[in-house]
Amino acid sequence: MNKVIPLSVMLFMFAVPGFAQKKPLPKKPVQKHPAPLRVSSYMRNVGLLYIEALEDAEKICIGTDISPSGSDEDCDSGIDQWQTLDKIIADRIDLQLSESHASDDGADMKFWELLQHTSSFEYGYLMDRDRLHMIDHSQYMLDQLLTLTGKEEYSQRKAENDRDAVNLRQEIETLSPLRSACKIVARRIIKDGIYEDPLNCVDNWKKYIDAQAILMRKFQK
């Protein structure tokens, strides 16, 4: 004789998880994150030397308070020292990257590219500051010789100095945050050993070069 299941039991079976049959939920696709780009110990060490030498040149140039009537020989010397060391370090890094010691995922090469852009931003910034001082010095000497030059010649040369000074100050304002951002990124990579460029140092360098090319074409017309 078949037993009749009470209605209350049936309702309980459907209400409690496990009794009622449920359709399996679709599996969420697993997002695969790219493996971090690890910079070799050698490149981190040499990168630190590279950045420290660059900052030493910056301290010499920016830390020197030069009046328009004075010379800027210390900054010139600092830049010369940096260029010499830059060549020495670059030769060794190029040799390292040409051998099998470089990281297989290309992180070392990417880091070296970022270091070069950092150097270019910093060098352009320091050179523009140096040229701006030369213009200030030129204007100072021109003011001292005002009585020996005609007013027309004085006005023409002063207008040229003023125009060049405005252009250089604009260039300095552009380069200052870019060089700072690249140094922050480089130091973070040196510390963590992972290549990441969250401040877009490499892309900003390419945009800067493209902008300079456009200005040069306009200037040549």
Side-chain angles (χ1 to χ4, degrees):
M1 181 176 181
N2 295 332
K3 293 183 179 180
V4 178
I5 301 176
L7 179 61
S8 59
V9 176
M10 294 180 62
L11 292 175
F12 175 78
M13 293 171 59
F14 282 102
V16 176
F19 283 93
Q21 293 183 352
K22 296 182 179 180
K23 293 182 180 180
L25 296 176
K27 294 183 179 180
K28 294 182 179 180
V30 179
Q31 293 182 350
K32 294 183 178 180
H33 297 284
L37 299 178
R38 299 192 178 280
V39 178
S40 68
S41 176
Y42 173 86
M43 283 300 298
R44 292 167 67 189
N45 283 311
V46 78
L48 179 59
L49 176 63
Y50 194 86
I51 292 296
E52 287 177 341
L54 186 60
E55 290 177 342
D56 286 343
E58 174 189 335
K59 290 176 182 177
I60 293 174
C61 289
I62 298 179
T64 306
D65 186 14
I66 302 296
S67 65
S69 61
S71 65
D72 204 7
E73 294 180 356
D74 288 342
C75 183
D76 293 339
S77 175
I79 292 176
D80 289 342
Q81 290 177 15
W82 160 246
Q83 287 183 305
T84 301
L85 186 58
D86 176 57
K87 180 66 169 58
I88 294 173
I89 295 176
D91 288 343
R92 282 156 176 75
I93 291 179
D94 288 339
L95 178 61
Q96 174 74 9
L97 293 178
S98 67
E99 298 178 349
S100 59
H101 303 292
S103 58
D104 295 334
D105 56 10
D108 282 359
M109 184 66 74
K110 290 178 179 292
F111 182 45
W112 175 223
E113 182 183 10
L114 186 142
L115 287 174
Q116 290 176 302
H117 295 337
T118 304
S119 172
S120 298
F121 277 138
E122 185 72 32
Y123 178 73
Y125 174 80
L126 295 179
M127 288 301 297
D128 283 345
R129 281 176 55 94
D130 192 48
R131 285 193 288 266
L132 183 59
H133 173 262
M134 292 174 62
I135 291 174
D136 291 341
H137 183 68
S138 173
Q139 185 58 47
Y140 171 82
M141 296 301 297
L142 186 62
D143 292 340
Q144 303 306 308
L145 300 174
L146 176 59
T147 56
L148 301 179
T149 60
K151 289 185 177 181
E152 183 177 350
E153 180 182 355
Y154 174 86
S155 297
Q156 180 180 354
R157 292 174 61 181
K158 184 178 185 307
E160 292 174 355
N161 285 341
D162 290 344
R163 179 198 63 209
D164 292 341
V166 168
N167 291 336
L168 281 173
R169 287 191 175 93
Q170 290 176 345
E171 183 73 5
I172 289 171
E173 289 178 1
T174 299
L175 289 173
S176 182
L178 294 174
R179 72 187 180 90
S180 298
C182 284
K183 283 188 289 186
I184 290 173
V185 172
R187 282 197 168 274
R188 185 177 299 172
I189 294 172
I190 292 168
K191 178 177 179 294
D192 298 338
I194 304 298
Y195 178 85
E196 291 180 333
D197 186 11
L199 300 182
N200 300 316
C201 176
V202 174
D203 288 342
N204 286 336
W205 170 254
K206 294 175 181 176
K207 292 176 183 178
Y208 174 77
I209 291 298
D210 290 342
Q212 291 298 305
I214 292 173
L215 287 176
M216 287 298 297
R217 287 195 294 268
K218 289 183 178 179
F219 180 78
Q220 293 172 354
K221 289 182 179 180

